Amino acid sequence: MEVEKPGSRGQAWFCTTGLPSDIVIEVEDMTFHLHKFPLMSKSRKLHQLITEQETDPTTSTTQREDEEERDEIEEIICQISLLDFPGGSESFEMAAKFCYGVKVDLNSSIIAPLRCAGEFLDMTEEYSEDNLISRTERFFSQSVLTSLKESIKALKSCERVMPLAESLGITERCIDSIASRASSVDPALFGWPVSEAANENNFRARSNQALWKEIESTLRRKGSGAKSNNADSWFEDLTLLSLQLFKRLILAMKMGDLNPEIVESCLMNYAKKHIPGLSRSNRKPSSSSSSSSAALEGEQREVLENIVSNLPLQKSSRSSTTTRFLFGLLRTANILNAAEECRSTLEKKIGLQLEQATLDDLLIPSYSYLNETLYDVDCLERILGHFLDGLEEERNGGEIEAGGDGGGGNVRPPTLMVVGKLIDGYLAEIGSDANLKSDRFYNLAISLPEQARLFDDGLYRAVDVYLKSHPWTSEAEREKICGIMDCQKLTIEACTHAAQNERLPLRAVVQVLFFEQIQLRHAITGTLIAAGADSARPSLLRRRVEEEEEEEIEAEEGATQERNSNAWRGAARENQVLRLDMDSMRTRVHQLERECSNMKKVIEKIDKECPRQNNGGWRGSLTRRFGCKFKTQVCDSHEQTVVNARKGRQPHHLHQQ
């Protein structure tokens, strides 16, 4: 008998084979008009139900006419109602087609309901060869469990047939397959998370197009079943799972020592799918009623608390995307009034990677009526405390590994300086809040150690903003707030601005002026020293070269005793030569002195013999003849113009008498 293509009429399903239907089966709101012999040949359960009704006198044959829909009278031999059929009418339709011998295209989305339908109808191999149970089991093992994406689809289909799928082990096998195959995925090949900022990854995707082709060809050669260009689309498939199945899957991943980054990415994508408003740009006001809104908030709170409880506690090695996501979770937890443990876990995890945050992330609104401030300062203080505790643990761990000689007291960790800059910016933002008390501002500013700030310009800006927004602050409070700054760590520009700032107390201005003068002196001194160092550099180099030569000579002299004695003899000869040179120089000086004495006598004799004339005797004649004049003193150490008598023409002590 050839089976024609079935068709549907409203809520009734007919099999048009040319023969009148002799059995009606009701599944949910669908009525199937079928024939009993194809069904009885494949299903033991239907065979038993049909046999029972045929032997039961209360279910004798009846006739029913429906002149509005059809002209013929159909004899209904048996009518069966299948309550709680796994997979509903859609699953029973595929099982009925299988009984009629129609080819059913199996896929991952229908395999679990169809397997449960075969179990419900008792379509075993013992009852009929190559029956539905064996056919679905073979496809499940060979095609579904060998692929990560297909296993996720099959797990999703288990939600419709959960009690029976759980008892048959279908759910457990899908979860184990996903967890084992996800462990072989390298997170470095993918852009975690998938849906965070697609626009930012466009350029990277275009540049890595060739790499993707190579990866896909490699995976295809290995038989991994990768058929999609989007290699990480299985993350999106996980977001379609129910919370209960997703929790079980994450637990299996964590027990299987899966890479924490993959687990974290799965949680992030699931949270973004089921908790709207994690990103500030995607928040939309709810238009639902109050009752449905409360139910929705309860579901979102449950999802959020489960996501946070499964987040890895260790610090994430990815970019600031994860930190931004964690801040979004924290803001949503405050809005949904999540459990205290949930918020505390988020604050601790954020504190471990606070250096990856931005100033916009730190501005957490205050949702509690107990807080008067615009932003939740207490929350940030707790996060900062977790950051400092983690930094202290890292420093202590480093000292222990270094044998206790870390000496990290004066070291400035880069992360600490980044967080110091963030906190200074945060103080400047919250400083304009009129409800912010001076004590809270002061306590947050001094919570960071001194090594967190190389310069206090950012802290000075925050103090200036606070004093400007709180003009009613008393003088004592102003001095206390200004005490958080170290005037010695202000730059010249900040000192110049602070010296003219009327909002600062007098004591602070005096300190600023004092340290500004010191900085100016140091700057001038440094400039002079640098100039002197530049001019003295050749002499220093020469001296260094001479010292090196002397060291080499001394090393050579200390080589052997014989060479030392020869060196001493050479030095003695040099001393004798120098002594002879000095004696000859002394003799020459005496000769010059005698010549000078003779010249003096000759000059005196000429002065006595030649009468003085108007221009001063022989001096006047020389003046008239050569047109020059002589000063009354030849050598004066205090005058700039000194007659050069180095040629020996006149003695150094000669002067006019």
Side-chain angles (χ1 to χ4, degrees):
M1 180 183 64
E2 182 180 359
V3 180
E4 298 180 3
K5 181 179 180 181
S8 61
R9 301 176 185 173
Q11 297 297 320
W13 194 93
F14 293 85
C15 180
T16 57
T17 61
L19 298 175
S21 300
D22 55 5
I23 183 172
V24 175
I25 299 178
E26 296 180 355
V27 179
E28 292 182 343
D29 58 347
M30 183 73 72
T31 302
F32 292 88
H33 298 262
L34 304 171
H35 304 85
K36 63 180 181 181
F37 291 109
L39 301 179
M40 294 175 66
S41 65
K42 291 291 185 181
S43 172
R44 179 183 282 116
K45 184 178 182 63
L46 290 177
H47 184 276
Q48 293 175 354
L49 292 175
I50 293 172
T51 303
E52 290 175 358
Q53 287 205 5
E54 287 179 347
T55 58
D56 190 353
T58 59
T59 59
S60 60
T61 304
T62 62
Q63 292 183 352
R64 184 176 60 190
E65 297 181 356
D66 191 357
E67 297 178 355
E68 296 179 356
E69 294 185 2
R70 59 185 183 271
D71 297 333
E72 63 180 7
I73 298 176
E74 184 179 89
E75 182 181 6
I76 301 178
I77 299 177
C78 183
Q79 185 171 356
I80 299 174
S81 178
L82 298 178
L83 301 177
D84 299 329
F85 190 84
S89 59
E90 181 183 357
S91 179
F92 181 80
E93 179 182 348
M94 290 184 292
K97 289 180 180 180
F98 181 82
C99 293
Y100 276 91
V102 178
K103 182 180 179 180
V104 179
D105 294 329
L106 300 179
N107 57 67
S108 301
S109 300
I110 65 172
I111 192 65
L114 197 58
R115 170 66 180 86
C116 293
E119 187 71 21
F120 184 88
L121 297 174
D122 199 5
M123 302 174 69
T124 61
E125 192 75 13
E126 292 79 6
Y127 186 77
S128 177
E129 187 178 355
D130 196 19
N131 213 341
L132 184 60
I133 292 179
S134 60
R135 186 82 63 84
T136 53
E137 278 289 345
R138 186 164 54 250
F139 181 84
F140 186 73
S141 301
Q142 296 177 359
S143 301
V144 176
L145 297 181
T146 57
S147 171
L148 177 61
K149 288 175 62 64
E150 301 303 321
S151 298
I152 297 174
K153 292 179 181 179
L155 181 61
K156 172 63 180 177
S157 66
C158 290
E159 296 176 0
R160 295 182 292 168
V161 291
M162 181 50 68
L164 189 54
E166 188 70 28
S167 63
L168 295 176
I170 301 176
T171 306
E172 191 68 26
R173 284 186 286 173
C174 288
I175 291 176
D176 293 341
S177 173
I178 296 170
S180 61
R181 296 191 178 279
S183 61
S184 61
V185 176
D186 185 6
L189 297 178
F190 305 98
W192 317 114
V194 179
S195 59
E196 170 59 24
N199 294 332
E200 297 178 1
N201 295 330
N202 286 338
F203 176 77
R204 185 182 303 173
R206 290 193 299 268
S207 62
N208 293 339
Q209 185 176 4
L211 177 61
W212 276 116
K213 292 181 179 179
E214 182 179 354
I215 294 174
E216 290 171 7
S217 61
T218 303
L219 294 175
R220 196 176 296 111
R221 287 195 301 269
K222 293 181 179 180
S224 62
K227 300 179 181 179
S228 173
N229 291 332
N230 190 6
D232 51 2
S233 61
W234 64 276
F235 267 168
E236 298 297 330
D237 296 334
L238 286 181
T239 62
L240 302 177
L241 298 176
S242 64
L243 181 60
Q244 298 302 323
L245 285 179
F246 185 74
K247 287 169 54 179
R248 292 178 56 183
L249 178 60
I250 292 298
L251 182 61
M253 287 181 173
K254 295 173 68 175
M255 292 180 62
D257 294 332
L258 190 64
N259 191 320
E261 292 188 6
I262 298 180
V263 176
E264 192 174 48
S265 298
C266 295
L267 295 169
M268 289 172 62
N269 281 271
Y270 195 86
K272 291 172 186 176
K273 180 72 173 182
H274 296 274
I275 307 176
L278 289 180
S279 177
R280 291 181 174 179
S281 59
N282 296 332
R283 292 178 186 173
K284 297 180 180 179
S286 177
S287 59
S288 58
S289 61
S290 59
S291 59
S292 60
S293 178
L296 184 61
E297 287 183 1
E299 296 175 0
Q300 293 179 359
R301 186 186 306 111
E302 183 181 5
V303 172
L304 187 144
E305 290 177 355
N306 280 279
I307 292 293
V308 173
S309 63
N310 287 287
L311 281 174
L313 293 179
Q314 58 266 33
K315 181 177 179 180
S316 178
S317 60
R318 295 197 300 272
S319 63
S320 59
T321 303
T322 308
T323 307
R324 189 181 306 114
F325 166 76
L326 294 176
F327 273 103
L329 283 180
L330 182 58
R331 285 190 292 267
T332 307
N334 293 332
I335 296 174
L336 299 176
N337 195 21
E340 186 66 27
E341 182 181 0
C342 173
R343 286 179 282 184
S344 178
T345 302
L346 282 173
E347 291 173 357
K348 184 175 182 180
K349 185 167 178 61
I350 291 173
L352 294 178
Q353 51 197 54
L354 184 59
E355 71 277 1
Q356 299 178 2
T358 62
L359 179 57
D360 185 63
D361 296 331
L362 301 184
L363 299 176
I364 304 173
S366 179
Y367 298 103
S368 176
Y369 65 92
L370 299 176
N371 293 331
E372 298 178 353
T373 56
L374 180 62
Y375 298 108
D376 196 345
V377 182
D378 294 335
C379 178
L380 184 64
E381 287 181 348
R382 293 191 295 268
I383 292 175
L384 184 59
H386 291 308
F387 169 76
L388 295 175
D389 292 342
L391 201 65
E392 185 67 20
E393 291 179 1
E394 291 181 2
R395 190 176 70 87
N396 293 336
E399 290 181 357
I400 292 175
E401 293 178 0
D405 296 332
N410 298 325
V411 178
R412 299 180 185 269
T415 56
L416 181 60
M417 299 189 69
V418 172
V419 172
K421 185 177 181 180
L422 276 176
I423 296 301
D424 290 347
Y426 181 80
L427 289 171
E429 288 292 331
I430 67 174
S432 58
D433 189 355
N435 295 325
L436 182 64
K437 304 298 182 183
S438 60
D439 291 339
R440 304 190 69 184
F441 182 87
Y442 177 83
N443 293 332
L444 182 59
I446 66 173
S447 58
L448 285 173
E450 183 181 357
Q451 293 83 5
R453 300 179 179 95
L454 184 61
F455 297 102
D456 279 5
D457 289 15
L459 197 57
Y460 165 69
R461 176 175 174 269
V463 170
D464 185 43
V465 170
Y466 183 84
L467 295 179
K468 183 179 180 180
S469 303
H470 300 76
W472 56 84
T473 307
S474 63
E475 189 70 17
E477 291 179 345
R478 287 173 178 268
E479 292 184 358
K480 180 180 179 181
I481 292 174
C482 292
I484 64 179
M485 298 185 304
D486 187 357
C487 297
Q488 300 184 61
K489 296 171 68 176
L490 294 178
T491 61
I492 296 294
E493 293 79 6
C495 289
T496 303
H497 186 276
Q500 302 174 3
N501 194 343
E502 298 178 354
R503 289 183 288 271
L504 297 181
L506 181 60
R507 179 176 298 179
V509 174
V510 172
Q511 291 180 355
V512 168
L513 290 173
F514 174 73
F515 289 112
E516 182 183 14
Q517 293 296 324
I518 292 179
Q519 288 187 14
L520 289 174
R521 290 182 181 179
H522 289 172
I524 295 173
T525 305
T527 304
L528 294 176
I529 292 176
D534 293 339
S535 62
R537 191 169 299 164
S539 61
L540 291 176
L541 291 174
R542 191 183 306 111
R543 186 182 305 170
R544 187 173 301 172
V545 171
E546 293 177 355
E547 291 177 354
E548 292 177 355
E549 292 178 352
E550 291 178 357
E551 291 177 357
E552 293 178 357
I553 294 174
E554 291 177 357
E556 292 177 357
E557 291 178 351
T560 57
Q561 185 71 22
E562 183 177 356
R563 293 179 62 184
N564 288 335
S565 60
N566 294 334
W568 282 109
R569 294 191 189 96
R573 294 194 194 96
E574 291 179 358
N575 290 334
Q576 292 178 359
V577 172
L578 290 175
R579 190 176 297 108
L580 293 175
D581 292 340
M582 292 178 65
D583 292 340
S584 62
M585 183 66 70
R586 190 178 297 110
T587 304
R588 180 60 179 166
V589 170
H590 291 321
Q591 292 177 357
L592 291 175
E593 288 180 352
R594 286 195 296 269
E595 292 179 358
C596 289
S597 177
N598 295 332
M599 291 176 62
K600 183 179 179 181
K601 293 178 180 179
V602 172
I603 291 172
E604 291 178 352
K605 184 177 180 181
I606 293 173
D607 286 338
K608 292 179 180 179
E609 293 178 353
C610 298
R612 294 183 181 273
Q613 299 179 0
N614 295 332
N615 290 329
W618 66 273
R619 293 180 188 272
S621 62
L622 290 177
T623 300
R624 289 192 301 270
R625 182 174 300 178
F626 298 103
C628 59
K629 296 183 179 180
F630 291 91
K631 290 190 175 182
T632 57
Q633 188 172 355
V634 177
C635 183
D636 190 355
S637 62
H638 297 284
E639 289 189 289
Q640 297 297 328
T641 56
V642 179
V643 177
N644 188 1
R646 297 178 182 177
K647 301 284 183 184
R649 297 178 180 177
Q650 293 181 355
H652 180 70
H653 58 276
L654 185 63
H655 61 84
Q656 182 180 356
Q657 293 184 0

